[in-house]
Amino acid sequence: MILVSEVGPRDGLQSIPRIMPLEAKKAWIAAEAAAGVKEIEVGSFVPPALLPQMADTEELVDFARTIPGLNVVALVPNAKGAARAVAAGVHGMSIPFSMSETHSLKNVRKSHAQMLVEIAEVAKLAKTAAVHFSVGLSTAFGCTMEGAVPERTVVRLAVAAAEAGAMELSLSDTTGYADPAQVKRMIRAVRAAVGDRLTTLHLHNTRGLGLANALAGLDAGITTLDASLGGLGGCPFAPGASGNLVTEDLVLMLNSMGLETGIDLEKLLAVRAILAAALPGELLYGFTPDAGPMLDYRERLAR
């Protein structure tokens, strides 16, 4: 079973100036869960003054928790945000830990050393509240501000994050720089140091390599892939890093390969209408039946 984690309500919306109405967000989350999506990152616990798009995250957590079988997760920038997330009732939370110190200072205004202190504090909160806690190793494949990030730096900081209390680790291609060979090398190197704590890839499709990198990750033992409906999003603090991995394209590929996701592609595609109505003018990328007739993946696998 491959877990497709929907990050659109957080990573998809944080870079869009327009604020999606709360009821539309709820409809999006409910519809994706009904399509079989098992995990959704519903928002982030950042100060509303910084990201007004995320001001309703508490309400979204409260709503999403009523959906049976849905793992409700949120991003937290620090211990203060983690305390809010725990109080709201999240099942899981993640903190971004940039492998580029320049990006870290721009994104969360903290150095590597300061972030490790925050990770340790969040880990204590998570353990006390029995909330799953993961650390996203951002800019692991390169940084638009700092350039190449040495593999040894990623490995060293991954080990430090694990020692500080991270239950799970994710490698994030924040800038869309990764290629399939690099993805495999990085996974092998980090896995050799932290073992099975590395489970997840967070990929952007900025340069059209999202699906190829996802396949490389699967070949290297990754079991969870983050994606955003319609490819919405990107990092507002990494210039030029547009375009998340498209959820619809990823599910189409995985289902066509006979890999179990539990997601009904037709129902997932129907969710695009909610985004199109709530965010007029925003480009939605990815597979659509309007592109022409397509043989059902179950039929193709049977041949």
Side-chain angles (χ1 to χ4, degrees):
M1 178 84 172
I2 304 301
L3 177 63
V4 175
S5 180
E6 174 61 62
V7 299
R10 194 278 303 175
D11 198 12
L13 296 181
Q14 71 176 7
S15 298
I16 297 174
R18 186 187 290 111
I19 296 176
M20 191 174 189
L22 175 60
E23 291 308 312
K25 290 182 183 179
K26 288 181 178 180
W28 177 4
I29 291 166
E32 279 217 28
V37 174
K38 303 291 191 300
E39 180 173 284
I40 300 179
E41 189 178 50
V42 301
S44 61
F45 286 90
V46 296
L50 291 178
L51 280 177
Q53 300 94 323
M54 301 290 110
D56 53 12
T57 298
E58 276 97 346
E59 293 167 277
L60 286 171
V61 170
D62 191 51
F63 167 76
R65 279 175 51 88
T66 67
I67 300 174
L70 181 64
N71 191 38
V72 181
V73 299
L75 180 139
V76 300
N78 48 38
K80 186 181 291 185
R84 288 176 58 203
V86 168
V90 297
H91 299 133
M93 56 187 173
S94 65
I95 190 169
F97 181 28
S98 183
M99 304 294 91
S100 156
E101 197 150 36
T102 304
H103 179 263
S104 184
L105 290 167
K106 200 83 169 172
N107 190 33
V108 292
R109 302 176 185 176
K110 284 184 172 59
S111 66
H112 284 159
Q114 290 171 318
M115 277 305 300
L116 286 168
V117 172
E118 290 287 345
I119 289 169
E121 289 185 25
V122 175
K124 289 177 186 175
L125 282 169
K127 185 176 182 180
T128 300
V131 169
H132 188 77
F133 173 50
S134 63
V135 173
L137 306 175
S138 308
T139 65
F141 301 96
C143 173
T144 52
M145 291 171 279
E146 204 169 284
V149 176
E151 185 178 284
R152 63 181 178 277
T153 298
V154 179
V155 171
R156 174 175 59 80
L157 294 175
V159 170
E163 290 175 346
M167 301 175 187
E168 191 173 9
L169 295 171
S170 167
L171 284 172
S172 178
D173 184 20
T174 313
T175 56
Y177 278 2
D179 64 72
Q182 184 190 20
V183 167
K184 287 187 177 182
R185 287 196 306 271
M186 191 67 76
I187 291 171
R188 282 196 295 265
V190 175
R191 272 263 172 85
V194 302
D196 290 340
R197 289 197 203 198
L198 175 60
T199 63
T200 305
L201 274 181
H202 179 98
L203 299 169
H204 285 205
N205 197 42
T206 311
R207 294 163 183 84
L209 290 174
L211 288 177
N213 290 334
L215 275 176
L218 292 172
D219 287 345
I222 288 296
T223 55
T224 300
L225 292 162
D226 290 350
S228 176
L229 195 75
L232 283 178
C235 178
F237 302 105
S242 61
N244 277 290
L245 185 62
V246 181
T247 306
E248 307 93 294
D249 284 355
L250 178 61
V251 171
L252 170 66
M253 181 185 76
L254 295 174
N255 286 357
S256 297
M257 293 171 63
L259 297 172
E260 172 129 18
T261 64
I263 299 172
D264 185 304
L265 181 59
E266 290 184 12
K267 289 182 179 179
L268 182 66
L269 288 169
V271 186
R272 291 168 66 96
I274 297 172
L275 271 66
L279 301 170
E282 291 294 339
L283 289 176
L284 298 181
Y285 299 97
F287 170 74
T288 168
D290 295 338
M294 179 178 168
L295 193 63
D296 184 90
Y297 66 86
R298 287 174 288 265
E299 289 184 55
R300 290 192 285 123
L301 287 171
R303 292 190 170 191

